[in-house]
Amino acid sequence: MNKRKKVSFLSLTFATVLALGACASEPTDSVSESSGEGESTSDGGELLISMLSEAVSLDVHGANDTYSSNMTSQIYETLLNQNAELELEPGLAEHYEQIDENTWEFTLRDNVTFHDGTDLDGDAIKANFDRVLDNDIASQRAFLFDMISEVEVVDDLTVRFHTEYPFAPLPAHLAHTGAGIMSPAMIEEDYAAMKDGESPGTVINKQAIGTGIFKFDEWNHGDSIRLVKNEDYWGDPAKVDSVVVRVVPDGTTRIAELQTGSAHIIDPLSPNEVGQIEQTEGVDVHSQESVMIMYVGFNTEQEYLDNPNVRKAISLAIGRKDILTGIYEDIGIEARSPLAPKVFGYDESIDSNEQDLEEAKRLLAEEGLEDGFDITFNTSDEQERIDIATYVESALAPLNINVNIDIQEWASFLEYTAEGNQEMFVLSWSTVTGDADYGLYALFHSDNHGSTGNRTFTTNADLDEKLDEARRSTDSDERQELYKEIQNIIAEEAYIQPLVHQDYLVGLSDNVEGFWQHPTRRLMLQDVTIQ
């Protein structure tokens, strides 16, 4: 998997994901002193990763962001896995089959234990899915599984998922990091803490017990998370002894750490930093094609932005090509839709708000807003997003729209936008299942306002109806047509302005072998060695 070129690309094919749907009738300083900074060994050792932001939560039901998923996917495992082409493969389940249109049966691996010694069995699976769907937990990931009406424990190693309606993408949803299986004993302890007044996930964030290749060791909040090798892993164990993921917000500092050996991997790498890495001996750039969308969103509940003509005018002032070339240095492709072209449901004939400044001025004049207004643009502290905000500020000046840029740390930004305080904002979403349901239902259905995904607070009864119909349909042609209509509604109403489908960039030491990055942005560390 590891392409050892200065810039390497993994091609994606979604044939197997779609075929499955058809068969079913159709997103520190706390470095261990014993390892030493930059220590190199042929086996074992401590892998040092410097990352822009830290996890929001180690409770798989407690957050729905990339930085959390990158950590939890090392600790917890899912029933099914996705390979580099997003094809489904066995995970904690050795086998699965569809019993009828509303029932799926999964056979679990035998002799798998959690890090606390608890056995993996059907009751553990049921405990996890009962929890994510528990209203008292208020999981941001419940929408992934809200079609599940019951998880039936047939025997110790057999579970059946019963759904309220036919849902072809269910196996792909069960490969999502939000379906990671946590220790049932830990879940029980977390519920007990809730009865004593603690928030959901309080115990889980202190223990983080799964079945994965790494075990949770410690979390120094705001600084680092340390994981250690699971010596009792049921499959091929990790090759390094431990992993330390440090929070390093400044890109220049991350690069310096990579160059000096204080970090083996840095994530992310900005496009404008690629040249610097390529000119440095001993380090490489690893690039991965993605299924993500970077977009400018409009909070439809805020003044001015509750008007579709205003949203469209702003969209028409933004040039995707300007952003792709000027900010991403053409590392990626222009986005015409929330869906990447390789995602099921994308249609190249859909409407798209292409840059047209004169039409933008006409629309504002029609609303009596030719003199413009003031508006705030919220962004997290990732450099490309700050650059996008700066570009938008300039692009809206000819419309007499005065943009105030507000930059926030990642977790604060997520909380702020989930609560609906923002006006305009820039954010990304990865359609990790390869199916349009995940790429559109979470972002635009009115049931998902806030942290679940719909941070534009879109409420559109017709759109809701079509999204519901598309996820319940068992006919792939019907679903494709519905998703075309849905994407056209999104463009016409201008809830977001799609920008780019960027490629993920990671800085990598030449001492690291066996690394690859998943199309969903997860760092795949199982086969990593430090030479």
Side-chain angles (χ1 to χ4, degrees):
M1 287 293 182
N2 190 29
K3 306 293 187 180
R4 296 317 305 263
K5 298 189 292 185
K6 284 294 181 181
V7 179
S8 58
F9 295 85
L10 294 172
S11 62
L12 302 177
T13 63
F14 290 80
T16 300
V17 173
L18 302 184
L20 284 166
C23 289
S25 300
E26 35 150 321
T28 65
D29 286 311
S30 175
V31 173
S32 171
E33 293 181 5
S34 62
S35 68
E37 289 192 351
E39 175 179 317
S40 296
T41 62
S42 59
D43 193 17
E46 186 159 78
L47 180 67
L48 308 176
I49 302 175
S50 293
M51 195 169 287
L52 169 67
S53 301
E54 75 172 336
V56 174
S57 178
L58 296 181
D59 175 356
V60 294
H61 306 154
N64 195 29
D65 67 291
T66 298
Y67 294 102
S68 297
S69 293
N70 245 323
M71 296 308 306
T72 59
S73 63
Q74 315 300 331
I75 301 168
Y76 310 109
E77 297 180 288
T78 49
L79 290 172
L80 300 175
N81 295 327
Q82 292 172 317
N83 62 21
E85 287 74 41
L86 294 191
E87 298 166 341
L88 294 173
E89 297 179 337
L92 291 177
E94 289 186 309
H95 172 75
Y96 75 97
E97 62 179 319
Q98 189 169 17
I99 305 300
D100 58 50
E101 64 177 12
N102 288 353
T103 308
W104 301 76
E105 184 173 280
F106 291 78
T107 303
L108 307 180
R109 293 184 185 276
D110 199 2
N111 298 317
V112 176
T113 58
F114 290 92
H115 302 152
D116 60 3
T118 305
D119 289 333
L120 173 74
D121 58 16
D123 289 331
I125 304 301
K126 179 176 174 59
N128 276 267
F129 286 95
D130 284 352
R131 182 178 187 270
V132 73
L133 294 172
D134 184 346
N135 290 333
D136 290 339
I137 300 299
S139 173
Q140 300 175 23
R141 285 170 158 170
F143 76 95
L144 278 160
F145 314 110
D146 61 8
M147 73 294 299
I148 297 172
S149 57
E150 179 190 6
V151 177
E152 174 193 0
V153 179
V154 178
D155 56 45
D156 282 352
L157 297 179
T158 310
V159 292
R160 287 181 179 172
F161 286 79
H162 299 276
T163 60
E164 293 181 7
Y165 48 84
F167 188 69
L170 182 65
H173 279 223
L174 296 179
H176 189 282
T177 54
I181 304 301
M182 303 183 291
S183 163
M186 180 178 66
I187 288 176
E188 184 177 353
E189 188 177 344
D190 195 73
Y191 269 119
M194 288 172 59
K195 289 182 179 179
D196 291 335
E198 297 287 352
S199 299
T202 299
V203 169
I204 293 171
N205 276 300
K206 294 177 181 177
Q207 298 182 4
I209 300 168
T211 62
I213 56 173
F214 291 107
K215 299 166 62 175
F216 173 71
D217 183 38
E218 62 176 343
W219 186 356
N220 296 311
H221 288 270
D223 186 38
S224 65
I225 292 177
R226 187 172 189 269
L227 310 176
V228 296
K229 179 179 179 177
N230 178 10
E231 300 285 357
D232 300 317
Y233 185 62
W234 59 266
D236 294 331
K239 294 178 172 58
V240 296
D241 295 325
S242 56
V243 178
V244 172
V245 180
R246 298 177 60 242
V247 181
V248 183
D250 181 66
T252 301
T253 303
R254 289 196 300 275
I255 290 176
E257 291 188 347
L258 182 67
Q259 292 171 327
T260 61
S262 297
H264 299 112
I265 299 171
I266 61 172
D267 178 37
L269 189 68
S270 296
N272 61 12
E273 297 169 336
V274 168
Q276 184 178 353
I277 296 296
E278 290 181 333
Q279 293 169 15
T280 303
E281 291 295 325
V283 296
D284 282 341
V285 176
H286 189 286
S287 180
Q288 168 63 55
E289 186 181 356
S290 78
V291 287
M292 66 84 70
I293 171 71
M294 186 70 70
Y295 67 92
V296 170
F298 308 109
N299 186 345
T300 59
E301 295 185 343
Q302 294 282 4
E303 184 181 12
Y304 301 119
L305 298 177
D306 57 359
N307 185 327
N309 275 349
V310 173
R311 298 194 299 265
K312 180 167 282 192
I314 294 174
S315 297
L316 293 174
I318 297 172
R320 299 187 185 97
K321 181 62 176 175
D322 295 338
I323 291 173
L324 178 61
T325 299
I327 297 175
Y328 289 92
E329 300 190 7
D330 292 317
I331 299 176
I333 61 174
E334 292 183 50
R336 303 182 67 252
S337 159
L339 304 180
K342 292 181 180 178
V343 173
F344 172 77
Y346 176 82
D347 191 307
E348 63 181 10
S349 70
I350 55 174
D351 295 333
S352 180
N353 292 318
E354 304 296 336
Q355 189 175 28
D356 187 339
L357 194 57
E358 293 308 310
E359 176 64 8
K361 291 178 178 179
R362 188 194 68 78
L363 288 171
L364 289 183
E366 186 177 302
E367 300 301 321
L369 293 172
E370 58 269 30
D371 292 333
F373 49 86
D374 295 340
I375 198 165
T376 297
F377 191 110
N378 292 95
T379 178
S380 64
D381 51 2
E382 187 171 312
Q383 188 58 54
E384 288 80 19
R385 301 182 188 199
I386 296 172
D387 292 343
I388 288 169
T390 302
Y391 167 82
V392 171
E393 178 184 27
S394 175
L396 298 189
L399 301 182
N400 298 314
I401 297 176
N402 179 46
V403 176
N404 172 54
I405 299 173
D406 183 13
I407 302 170
Q408 296 170 288
E409 176 271 331
W410 177 243
S412 298
F413 171 77
L414 288 181
E415 181 178 359
Y416 191 81
T417 53
E419 292 174 350
N421 297 311
Q422 74 282 12
E423 294 180 315
M424 282 197 300
F425 62 99
V426 60
L427 197 55
S428 65
W429 185 265
S430 186
T431 306
V432 296
T433 63
D435 187 279
D437 178 76
Y438 185 79
L440 299 175
Y441 187 83
L443 288 184
F444 301 104
H445 197 286
S446 62
D447 282 351
N448 297 319
H449 285 174
S451 60
T452 304
N454 185 349
R455 294 171 195 260
T456 60
F457 292 82
T458 295
T459 302
N460 182 318
D462 182 43
L463 185 59
D464 282 354
E465 183 179 352
K466 291 184 185 301
L467 286 166
D468 287 333
E469 187 178 354
R471 73 178 349 211
R472 293 167 185 258
S473 174
T474 60
D475 186 299
S476 60
D477 290 337
E478 180 184 36
R479 295 184 76 223
Q480 180 72 49
E481 184 58 33
L482 282 166
Y483 286 128
K484 177 181 177 180
E485 294 175 22
I486 288 166
Q487 289 167 88
N488 282 333
I489 292 173
I490 292 167
E492 178 59 30
E493 295 294 326
Y495 296 123
I496 68 170
Q497 174 65 344
L499 301 177
V500 298
H501 303 296
Q502 73 175 97
D503 296 335
Y504 297 134
L505 299 175
V506 169
L508 197 66
S509 167
D510 286 350
N511 291 330
V512 172
E513 296 287 347
F515 169 84
W516 62 286
Q517 188 173 27
H518 201 269
T520 61
R521 198 175 171 179
R522 287 187 289 121
L523 305 182
M524 310 303 288
L525 305 179
Q526 182 166 12
D527 295 325
V528 167
T529 59
I530 308 169
Q531 302 301 316

